[in-house]
Amino acid sequence: MALWAALLAAPLPSAAQEVSLAGQMGRRALLVVDGQTLTLGVGESARGVKLIQLDADGAVVERGGQRLDLRTGGGTARVAGSGGVVSGSREIVIPAGPGGHFVTQGSINGRPVNFMVDTGATLIALGQAEADRLGIAWRSGEPGMVQTANGSAAAYRVTLARVRVGEVEINQVQAVVVPQSMPMVLLGNSFLSRFRMQRDTDVLRLQAR
């Protein structure tokens, strides 16, 4: 699983140029910076953004010499072509599994899959074999490259008609199909960015915006 934690969809342009607070995971802030999600602790920096303060009400970050006061869900960057919550509940509760990973069952285009939450993945990511099983025409997708812990690999960007986790279903979700076999589908930020995230010990709560 560690290999895929570094998966990034390199060819995708950012849909927004801003900093926003998507949620909190323990003592770390989940920030969306120019369309890319980062997890920072107080005092840590990435992509020119430094987390100065984090509390229950929000976060304070510094960027370009300016301090920004952020509130969860305030002005969050949106993914190009994103759809909204189309049915079901507006909250997903995922308990931590072995190794502390958040794993849950769901479906893609109405077919069952096993998801693992990965806040470091730009998009939902799945292997070609899984995409074939799901009937996804990935060969007709947009070709590009992704960066993994083992170097560059060919991949195809596709749009998933429906992604369901728990009782929440979202339409038109961007994903990347990679050649390597993967034991689970990575639930990346093309899905997660539609939610406010809150981790309570060993439970991850996703609340639809």
Side-chain angles (χ1 to χ4, degrees), residues 21 23-29 42 51-60 69-72 198:
L21 178 63
Q24 300 181 25
M25 299 185 70
R27 297 183 179 180
R28 302 180 69 81
V42 174
L51 181 63
I52 304 299
Q53 179 181 327
L54 180 67
D55 55 36
D57 295 325
V60 177
D69 189 6
L70 306 177
R71 292 292 178 267
T72 301
Q198 182 67 49

Side-chain angles (χ1 to χ4, degrees), residues 22-77:
Q24 300 181 25
M25 299 185 70
R27 297 183 179 180
R28 302 180 69 81
L30 184 64
L31 302 172
V32 178
V33 180
D34 298 342
Q36 181 174 341
T37 303
L38 304 172
T39 305
L40 296 179
V42 174
E44 295 179 345
S45 302
R47 295 181 64 85
V49 175
K50 182 177 182 179
L51 181 63
I52 304 299
Q53 179 181 327
L54 180 67
D55 55 36
D57 295 325
V60 177
V61 301
E62 184 177 85
R63 188 183 197 192
Q66 296 184 334
R67 290 201 174 194
L68 305 174
D69 189 6
L70 306 177
R71 292 292 178 267
T72 301
T76 301

